[in-house]
């Protein structure tokens, strides 16, 4: 670099430093409220921010990405209160924003401003200028979702606007001046319209049927409350609500022309039915047609409906034709007829329009989705058993070898066959029970009636046992509201109830036995009833049974049984204890020779002692979960399915050089989408009929179903 270039660079830097110094250093004699002259030409942005901080007394934190130069000039002196807004305007022109926080102002790129803390306001905004603020604006009349496409182009691409459909609220993050402009636009648009609601009375047709038909016809932004069509998204332009009590339609729209079109359609539908044309078909979504038909007949006739058992039997007897139960009802309701078609789960109603409208309102309320209840039961049984035995038995049989009159005798404790008797040990040493068995044997000897036995002169036994058991059972089941469910985990054991032997004229008997099989194990029966408040009434029968070990005949089988039969009320998701057993039993047995067994120390050679203690703790807990929609059931099923898949993956056969591989095929992933299939289309509706609603399974995405 030559000398001339170095001189020019030095002069340029000197001039720039002098310019900045003049701007940053007003005369010391000026007061704090004196105006200042701003003259920054191609000045470095961080230096300008530092100068403004010294003038205004504010603290700044500058993002490292904030770089570049800025030009700020003022032809006349400006007050110090205007210095900071002028800086914000200059930064905005360069793509940077100021985020004001407690005691500090952060200078960041504009795209990052909405992710930082900013002042939050409601409808009223007091801030001005180019500072970033957030406004939460609840709308009263207009739809926030419909307002968003109008406001989005008016907001910078680096700032944000969002909609909260549940509360019909807009959330806007932008510069204060622009937010004030948007508030004025929203306030002018969020005004009530004079013709946004209307009441249409019906005379001949059902308001529920008409609302469903219009909802399917005018599918563009239509929400039908209380009908089969699903609710439209937030901001629907047309809302139709059937009022059952007055048989009217409540209609709301932001377009008066649509309401007028709706009035014309309703007027064409609300006409008297032709002779013989008052037959209606109502497809049910959740209720059972046969049972509901019985209820409706009872309403018209004023008599109690037949039992659900009779209706179910009729449904099972003929599943391809309408129910054979007489359906014609006469009297105050006129000549009406109600039939149930189990094959399509639908009702066929022939009745005058007034009667049908009343029945249609009842059907719409009874054909609601029933809740399901997932019941978790927890059975915990902890048993501790301790036993101890000690005793000495004597026996002298040596004199049996001599002829004439001889003396024999000894002590004999314990019942025969228990493994503790010295005579059983002499006949068969293998019959002695577990524990320490010490004896004195002197050859063999023949006893009349027993034959050749071991000459066992003395037997000493000692045994101490300690057995603990911790049994945990967790039966789970899912059932519909007010429907009984049962789960049995155990064995089906035969019990001999009788026997018979017929000799006849031959010498060979022909015996036989009668056997009854019973379930032995764990049984849980529950009938839940869900209330509107969220509590669940449960009718519960819990049984825990087991076979007692026995060596006797089959007719002597003994079962231990513990059962609970109760009705309880518990809140959804809460745990309740049904009952329990806390038992502590002690047994102390002593067999001894009179007098000799009472001698201190030496008496132990003439007695046999037993002690046993059993402690049992049994508790039964239960927790219901109410499943009101398909999503809750999917979550529950997914958790249990993944648990089983993990347990299956833990068990793997090790490869063997000689044995074949017998690995089980793993369960498929529940989240895998199924094979694509054609969408189901509900059958078309003819005039005077109500088309069946799409089932929940058809409305859900295919990925929610398990893969084959």
């Amino acid at each position: 670099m030559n000398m001339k270039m170095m001189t020019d660079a030095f002069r340029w830097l000197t001039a720039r430093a002098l310019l900045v110094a003049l701007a940053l250093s007003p005369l010391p004699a000026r007061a704090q409220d004196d105006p200042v002259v701003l003259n920054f030409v191609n000045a470095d942005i961080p230096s300008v921010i530092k100068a403004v901080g010294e003038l205004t007394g504010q603290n700044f934190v500058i993002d490292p990405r904030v770089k570049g130069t800025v030009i700020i000039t003022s032809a006349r002196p400006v007050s110090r209160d205007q210095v900071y807004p002028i800086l914000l305007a200059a930064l905005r022109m360069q793509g940077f924003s100021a985020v004001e926080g407690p005691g500090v102002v952060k200078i960041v790129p504009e795209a990052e401003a909405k992710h930082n803390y900013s002042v939050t306001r409601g409808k009223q905004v007091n801030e001005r200028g180019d500072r970033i603020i957030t406004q939460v604006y609840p709308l009263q009349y207009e739809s926030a979702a419909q307002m968003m496409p109008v406001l989005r182009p008016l907001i910078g691409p680096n700032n944000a606007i969002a909609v909260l459909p549940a509360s019909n609220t807009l959330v806007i993050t932008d510069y204060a001046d622009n937010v004030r402009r948007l508030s004025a636009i929203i306030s002018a648009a969020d005004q009530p319209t004079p013709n946004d609601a209307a009441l249409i009375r019906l005379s001949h047709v059902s308001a529920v049927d008409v609302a469903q038909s219009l909802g399917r016809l005018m599918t563009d932004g239509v929400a039908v409350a209380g009908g089969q069509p699903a609710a439209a998204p937030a901001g629907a332009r047309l809302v139709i609500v059937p009022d059952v009590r007055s048989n009217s339609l409540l209609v709301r729209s932001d377009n008066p022309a649509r309401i007028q079109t709706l009035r014309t359609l309703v007027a064409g539908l609300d006409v008297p039915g032709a002779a013989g044309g008052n037959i209606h078909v109502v497809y049910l979504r959740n209720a059972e047609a046969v049972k509901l038909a019985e209820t409706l007949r009872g309403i018209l006739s004023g008599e109690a409906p037949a039992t659900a058992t009779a209706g179910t039997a009729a449904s099972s007897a003929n599943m391809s034709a309408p129910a054979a139960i007489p359906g014609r009802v006469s009297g105050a309701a006129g000549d009406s007829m109600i039939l149930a078609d189990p094959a399509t789960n639908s009702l066929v109603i022939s009745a005058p329009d007034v009667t049908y409208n009343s029945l249609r309102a009842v059907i719409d309320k009874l054909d609601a989705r029933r809740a399901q209840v997932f019941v978790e039961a927890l059975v915990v049984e902890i048993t501790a058993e301790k036993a101890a035995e000690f005793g000495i038995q004597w026996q002298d049989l040596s004199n049996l070898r001599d002829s004439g009159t001889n003396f024999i005798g000894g002590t004999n404790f314990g019942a025969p066959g228990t493994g503790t008797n010295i005579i059983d040990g002499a006949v068969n040493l293998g019959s002695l029970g577990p524990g320490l068995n010490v004896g004195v044997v002197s050859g063999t000897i023949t006893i009349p009636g027993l034959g050749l036995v071991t000459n066992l002169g003395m037997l000493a036994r000692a045994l101490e046992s300690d057995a603990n058991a911790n049994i945990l059972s967790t039966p789970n089941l899912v059932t519909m509201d007010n429907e009984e469910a049962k789960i049995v985990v155990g064995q089906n054991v035969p019990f001999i109830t009788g026997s018979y032997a017929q000799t006849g004229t031959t010498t060979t008997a022909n015996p036989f036995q009668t056997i009854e099989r019973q379930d032995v194990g764990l049984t849980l029966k529950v009938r839940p009833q869900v209330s509107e408040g969220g509590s669940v009434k449960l009718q519960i029968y819990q049984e825990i049974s087991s076979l007692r070990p026995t060596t006797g005949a089959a007719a002597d089988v003994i079962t231990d049984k513990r059962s609970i039969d109760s009705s309880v009320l518990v809140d959804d998701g809460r745990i309740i204890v049904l009952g329990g057993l806390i038992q502590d039993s002690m047994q102390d047995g002593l067999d001894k020779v009179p007098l000799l067994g009472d001698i201190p120390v030496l008496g132990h050679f003439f007695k046999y002692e037993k002690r046993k203690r059993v402690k049992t703790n049994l508790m039964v807990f239960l927790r219901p979960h109410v499943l009101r929609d398909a999503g809750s059931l999917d979550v529950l099923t997914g958790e249990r399915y993944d648990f089983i898949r993990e347990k299956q993956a833990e068990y793997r056969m090790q490869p063997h050089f000689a044995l074949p591989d017998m690995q089980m095929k793993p369960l498929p992933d529940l989240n895998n989408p199924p094979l694509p299939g054609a969408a189901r289309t509900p059958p078309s509706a003819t005039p005077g009929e109500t088309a069946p609603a799409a089932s929940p399974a058809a409305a859900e995405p295919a990925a929610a179903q398990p893969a084959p």
Side-chain angles (χ1 to χ4, degrees), residues 286-288 291 308 365-366 368-375 477-485 526-539 568-570 624-629 633:
N286 302 288
E288 186 176 343
K291 296 181 180 180
K365 293 186 181 328
L366 296 181
R369 180 187 176 96
R370 297 172 62 184
Q372 299 186 88
V373 181
F374 170 62
V375 181
L477 52 85
V478 178
T479 181
M480 293 184 64
D481 181 22
N482 211 26
E483 295 288 343
E484 182 180 291
V526 59
R527 181 190 295 272
Q529 185 176 357
V530 182
S531 65
E532 291 297 329
S535 60
V536 184
K537 180 181 179 182
L538 298 170
Q539 296 180 2
V568 297
L569 186 67
V570 59
H625 297 274
V626 180
L627 310 175
R628 299 188 181 274
D629 52 24
L633 190 60

Side-chain angles (χ1 to χ4, degrees), residues 330-470:
S330 301
D335 195 4
S336 304
M337 183 173 62
I338 303 174
L339 295 178
D341 183 26
T344 59
N345 195 38
S346 58
L347 298 174
V348 181
I349 302 176
S350 176
D353 292 336
V354 176
T355 304
Y356 172 73
N357 293 340
S358 301
L359 293 177
R360 192 64 182 86
V362 175
I363 294 172
D364 189 62
K365 293 186 181 328
L366 296 181
D367 188 29
R369 180 187 176 96
R370 297 172 62 184
Q372 299 186 88
V373 181
F374 170 62
V375 181
E376 292 180 287
L378 181 65
V379 182
V380 184
E381 183 175 1
I382 302 175
T383 304
E385 181 177 344
K386 294 184 178 181
E389 300 179 21
F390 182 78
I392 299 176
Q393 303 177 59
W394 301 92
Q395 183 174 254
D396 184 12
L397 303 177
S398 300
N399 292 335
L400 286 177
R401 299 189 182 96
D402 301 333
S403 59
T405 301
N406 300 297
F407 175 80
I408 63 172
T411 58
N412 179 14
F413 300 131
T418 60
T420 62
N421 190 277
I422 190 173
I423 296 179
D424 291 344
V427 176
N428 181 10
L429 292 177
S431 65
L432 295 176
L436 177 64
N437 296 282
V438 179
V440 177
V441 179
S442 178
T444 59
I445 192 170
T446 301
I447 299 179
L450 293 179
L452 185 64
V453 300
T454 303
N455 188 11
L456 184 61
M458 187 271 291
L459 176 64
R461 274 185 48 79
L463 172 66
E464 184 173 348
S465 62
D466 190 352
N468 298 311
N470 185 0

Side-chain angles (χ1 to χ4, degrees), residues 116-131:
N116 291 269
Y117 168 83
S118 60
V119 177
T120 303
R121 295 287 184 253
K123 289 185 177 182
Q124 297 295 102
V125 177
N126 300 322
E127 287 75 15
R128 293 180 178 273
D130 295 308
R131 60 189 67 184

